[in-house]
Amino acid sequence: MANARSGRSAARLPEPVHKITPYQRLKEAIRAGDLMPGQQLVESVLAEWCEVSRTPIREALSKLQHDGLVERNDRGLVVRERSPEEVLDIYETRIALEGTAARMAAERRNSHDLILLRRAMGRLDGLTTEDIDAMVRANRQFHTAVWRASHNTSLIDLLERLDLHLVRYPAGTLEAPGRWERSNDQHRAIVDAIEARDSDGAEKSAITHFTEARDIQLALFDETL
């Protein structure tokens, strides 16, 4: 019995498999702009691209439709296109939630959160405006660090969902003249307020930051009309 127990305790568990799922891959392709708004999504083509059968692709597309990233029209499933009105509505919601997240981060943050926020701020400061993809990634990493510092799972979930719907628009706002420098000054003010546990200051700085982003996006829409 001792040997049997010893044998069972010594049994090796299988190594975890870190493989991106079709859902994650398609969502990231939409996020990155590899799958463009209005583009038709053909199961057989996507299955070949993801190197899976059509069943997991069908399941992934169903999830993406539930997320609001994919919609069905007379051509079948396509990447969803959003009107300027929808985008601005999403910005309005995000302004409120980002302000709440910053306020809660100031109230709940710990020393580890501050390390992550300062590290994210360092990445932003280390970038120039020559690499827009790196700018968008670093910007998203910063705001994700603020969300996590709030230690509010429900709020984080809502912000992640909103971020998916605004995924194609931050690049335009960050490329506006002077916006990158102004944005980083606002990021720094948010971190300073969170570190000082200044909840009013953190909320105000976050609201100002996203209100200006909304106004830039509105101006960009006006230019295309």
Side-chain angles (χ1 to χ4, degrees), residues 26-46:
L26 294 177
K27 183 168 68 172
E28 184 55 36
I30 294 172
R31 182 194 295 275
D34 297 325
L35 294 174
M36 298 295 292
Q39 183 171 340
Q40 189 173 6
L41 301 169
V42 181
E43 286 183 8
S44 58
V45 174
L46 296 176

Side-chain angles (χ1 to χ4, degrees), residues 161-173:
R161 288 175 179 273
L162 282 178
D163 185 59
L164 282 174
H165 299 302
L166 289 176
V167 69
R168 292 182 295 276
Y169 301 98
T173 61

Side-chain angles (χ1 to χ4, degrees), residues 23-89:
Y23 167 71
Q24 292 169 324
R25 187 168 185 180
L26 294 177
K27 183 168 68 172
E28 184 55 36
I30 294 172
R31 182 194 295 275
D34 297 325
L35 294 174
M36 298 295 292
Q39 183 171 340
Q40 189 173 6
L41 301 169
V42 181
E43 286 183 8
S44 58
V45 174
L46 296 176
E48 183 177 354
W49 181 56
C50 292
E51 300 179 327
V52 296
S53 69
R54 293 176 65 171
T55 298
I57 292 297
R58 193 173 299 118
E59 293 171 350
L61 291 174
S62 178
K63 289 182 179 179
L64 291 169
Q65 191 172 7
H66 178 74
D67 290 339
L69 298 178
V70 166
E71 63 183 356
R72 186 176 297 278
N73 63 18
D74 56 355
R75 296 187 296 125
L77 287 175
V78 298
V79 178
R80 183 173 178 179
E81 297 183 86
R82 291 194 175 275
S83 68
E85 292 78 13
E86 285 182 293
V87 173
L88 292 176
D89 282 346

Side-chain angles (χ1 to χ4, degrees), residues 123-153:
R123 283 192 292 268
L124 292 168
D125 286 334
L127 292 174
T128 67
T129 55
E130 297 174 358
D131 189 344
I132 186 60
D133 290 336
M135 291 161 61
V136 170
R137 284 195 302 272
N139 184 67
R140 183 177 296 115
Q141 288 168 352
F142 173 83
H143 290 293
T144 299
V146 174
W147 305 344
R148 291 176 178 167
S150 75
H151 296 278
N152 185 315
T153 304

